[in-house]
Amino acid sequence: MTKPPLTPPNIIFIMADDHAAHAMGCYGSRINKTPNLDRIANGGVRFDNCFCTNSICTPSRAAILTGTYNHINGATTLSTPLDNRLTTYPKLLQAAGYQTAIFGKWHLGEGPEHCPTGFDDWAVLPGQGRYHNPEFIFNGPNGGTRQTCRGYVTDLITDMSLNWLDKRDASRPFCMMVHHKAPHRPWYPDEKHAHLYLNEDIPEPPTLHDDYVGRAAAAREAKMRLDKNMTVTDLKCEIPHELPERELRSWVYQKYIKEYLRVIASIDDNVGRLLDFLDEHNLAENTMVIYTSDQGFFLGDHGWYDKRFMYEESLRMPFILRYPAMAKPGSVNADMILNVDFAPLFLDLARIATPPEMQGHSFLSLLRGETPSGWRQSMYYRYWMHGDSCHNVHAHYGVRTHRYKLIHYYGDGLGLPGTSTTLTPPEWELFDLDKDPCELNNCYHNPAYATVVQELKAELTRL
Ligand code: CA
């Protein structure tokens, strides 16, 4: 057993918006380098099976703060703000004497009933926020006060974080959430990164030209195709629609992925600034630093951008954690962790009991390389939005084990805010991830998998 530290540990929780693990050096990216993010992984643990329970911004953030699934916290869609009376881990840390702050993206609603609570200080972007000269809402009465700040959003969020660290009370522990807007659409890079990747071709993903044959109609009907649904605003140039579909998809991919990676370059630089600050102020040893994203993202995989689906690229969250007091540098963990586990982890670290309503579990022992007996072998996923006007992804739920994934597109918005009233025929998909890691072959109707389907349906019901 590692000896517990003498003073309560600090927490720096950095979260990007829509940063897929396959665009991070430490996860073996084929398309970019992220030397500063890799400092976190190299100095701690890389989790290879971290999954979100609903792959979309507001719901994932609500699950992280409350440690509960969206059917419990009520933030099922993009149109359901978080009720700020709910118990969250920042409130519990604050009550236990932690200094707490959040800077950057909130996206859980605005005004007195939905603004950040449980924080000594905060400054958040209204809605999605802007990349250049963004407006922020600053901590204040009646939901806070708005002010436009000059500069690039990722720099500004980092500046606010460093200023807050600098003026904090050094005698008490802190939990600071640095939640970047980047690399969310519409991918406007900082001028200093605009030259990156100009004269090179970025490798294409193996499923860029997916034809969706044999899969649920949900895949064909989703409106997030590079060649069909990307806009002039996304790409900042005219799109040569006269090109044949295959060529057009490759052309758009290059434009899209370069902007996405340029925006990530700024995150990497700014995470470096934060890590340098910790080194310079002798804080690295007793601070748990986390980098994650609210969900994954399709980087041309299946011919798509965006997220929402239970498919791997969208379901998987990057999750790297450095905490020298407990975690061995350069470790890799393959146990299944979920976004609802983050709150229990932070509370456990601060030695605060996890409230019974939280559904996640602390994975502190995984940092020491100790997997508790009975640790989960499967997870439940639920995408509540249905046929929304933007991307038309059908509502679905499913179960993932280490080997299989069963998805049920139940085709009904259930009258929730932000969903369509159009019903779609129910469909199922089953993927054997060992044999088909790219999820191209739906084997739900293959008789060889009949027993597997039966077992997974029973597990889905149990979960
Ligand atoms: Ca997001």
Side-chain angles (χ1 to χ4, degrees), residues 79-146:
S79 311
T80 51
L82 183 71
D83 183 333
N84 66 11
R85 292 168 301 183
L86 292 173
T87 301
T88 63
Y89 76 82
K91 289 181 187 175
L92 296 171
L93 290 173
Q94 188 184 42
Y98 267 71
Q99 297 167 88
T100 56
I102 179 168
F103 301 106
K105 179 113 178 226
W106 175 246
H107 205 204
L108 287 158
E110 286 153 31
E113 284 155 28
H114 306 299
C115 67
T117 44
F119 301 99
D120 301 342
D121 200 5
W122 53 269
V124 296
L125 298 158
Q128 299 283 11
R130 287 197 307 265
Y131 275 106
H132 289 95
N133 303 325
E135 186 179 43
F136 279 86
I137 308 172
F138 288 88
N139 182 19
N142 301 317
T145 52
R146 289 169 181 249

Side-chain angles (χ1 to χ4, degrees), residues 68-271:
T68 62
Y69 272 76
N70 300 133
H71 61 273
I72 301 291
N73 60 52
T76 47
T77 73
L78 286 178
S79 311
T80 51
L82 183 71
D83 183 333
N84 66 11
R85 292 168 301 183
L86 292 173
T87 301
T88 63
Y89 76 82
K91 289 181 187 175
L92 296 171
L93 290 173
Q94 188 184 42
Y98 267 71
Q99 297 167 88
T100 56
I102 179 168
F103 301 106
K105 179 113 178 226
W106 175 246
H107 205 204
L108 287 158
E110 286 153 31
E113 284 155 28
H114 306 299
C115 67
T117 44
F119 301 99
D120 301 342
D121 200 5
W122 53 269
V124 296
L125 298 158
Q128 299 283 11
R130 287 197 307 265
Y131 275 106
H132 289 95
N133 303 325
E135 186 179 43
F136 279 86
I137 308 172
F138 288 88
N139 182 19
N142 301 317
T145 52
R146 289 169 181 249
Q147 194 189 319
T148 299
C149 299
R150 286 191 63 80
Y152 188 67
V153 69
T154 310
D155 294 340
L156 291 167
I157 292 167
T158 308
D159 292 346
M160 289 174 187
S161 305
L162 291 173
N163 287 340
W164 186 80
L165 279 182
D166 218 19
K167 64 173 202 256
R168 79 192 194 285
D169 173 0
S171 70
R172 293 190 309 146
F174 64 85
C175 172
M176 182 176 73
M177 296 159 70
V178 184
H179 285 195
H180 289 297
K181 176 217 165 41
H184 192 281
R185 201 181 187 187
W187 314 295
Y188 281 101
D190 190 355
E191 285 71 17
K192 69 178 161 200
H193 297 116
H195 67 284
L196 295 175
Y197 312 109
L198 275 180
N199 299 310
E200 57 184 290
D201 276 345
I202 309 288
E204 294 182 350
T207 59
L208 179 65
H209 298 289
D210 190 359
D211 58 9
Y212 318 112
V213 169
R215 303 230 297 287
R220 264 193 317 279
E221 289 172 14
K223 291 182 182 164
M224 38 200 241
R225 290 199 208 176
L226 294 178
D227 49 310
K228 287 190 165 56
N229 307 115
M230 274 271 171
T231 66
V232 170
T233 311
D234 291 328
L235 299 180
K236 297 100 188 174
C237 65
E238 291 302 319
I239 301 171
H241 284 291
E242 68 280 6
L243 288 178
E245 182 180 307
R246 198 179 170 87
E247 267 176 65
L248 180 59
R249 210 179 265 202
S250 291
W251 187 92
V252 172
Y253 169 73
Q254 291 297 327
K255 286 279 176 195
Y256 152 59
I257 203 67
K258 287 179 183 182
E259 292 288 65
Y260 181 85
L261 296 179
R262 287 168 188 142
V263 162
I264 286 172
S266 176
I267 297 183
D268 191 68
D269 287 357
N270 277 294
V271 167

